[in-house]
Amino acid sequence: GALPTMRDVEQDELTKLAEKHWGKEVKEGEGVFDAGVVKEIYDKMSGSGFALNRIMTLEYSQFLEKYLWPHFPAEGAAEPATLPHVL
């Protein structure tokens, strides 16, 4: 598919999840990790066949830096939690 525009990114459901769970309104250290959010994102990404535009949207949201890394369990992580680290 085509590369996402800023409008596409802003309107994407992944961006809405980001705003709620690790966006500007969530202060550093105050966000609560929810494995269900990771699973939901994994399901959306795998459902799209890991489409480039979805990956770019997720990267733009700083999912890895602001949500996964601060909460990453180094041992015993399941595939949905480890896959975004690989991507």
Side-chain angles (χ1 to χ4, degrees):
L3 297 179
T5 64
M6 280 308 296
R7 184 175 182 188
D8 294 335
V9 169
E10 291 168 355
Q11 294 178 348
D12 193 288
E13 59 193 336
L14 293 174
T15 301
K16 295 187 184 347
L17 276 172
E19 290 169 354
K20 180 178 178 184
H21 295 281
W22 66 91
K24 293 177 186 171
E25 300 298 319
V26 179
K27 294 186 178 81
E28 191 170 329
E30 291 184 6
V32 177
F33 183 76
D34 181 352
V37 171
V38 176
K39 174 85 167 87
E40 183 176 354
I41 290 170
Y42 177 82
D43 290 346
K44 290 178 188 310
M45 297 297 290
S46 63
S48 74
F50 297 96
L52 180 59
N53 63 336
R54 299 313 300 276
I55 293 171
M56 291 177 74
T57 298
L58 197 59
E59 173 58 25
Y60 182 79
S61 78
Q62 296 184 306
F63 176 57
L64 178 65
E65 299 89 344
K66 295 199 173 200
Y67 198 67
L68 284 185
W69 277 140
H71 303 286
F72 183 68
E75 294 185 28
E79 184 178 295
T82 58
L83 185 63
H85 294 277
V86 174
L87 293 175

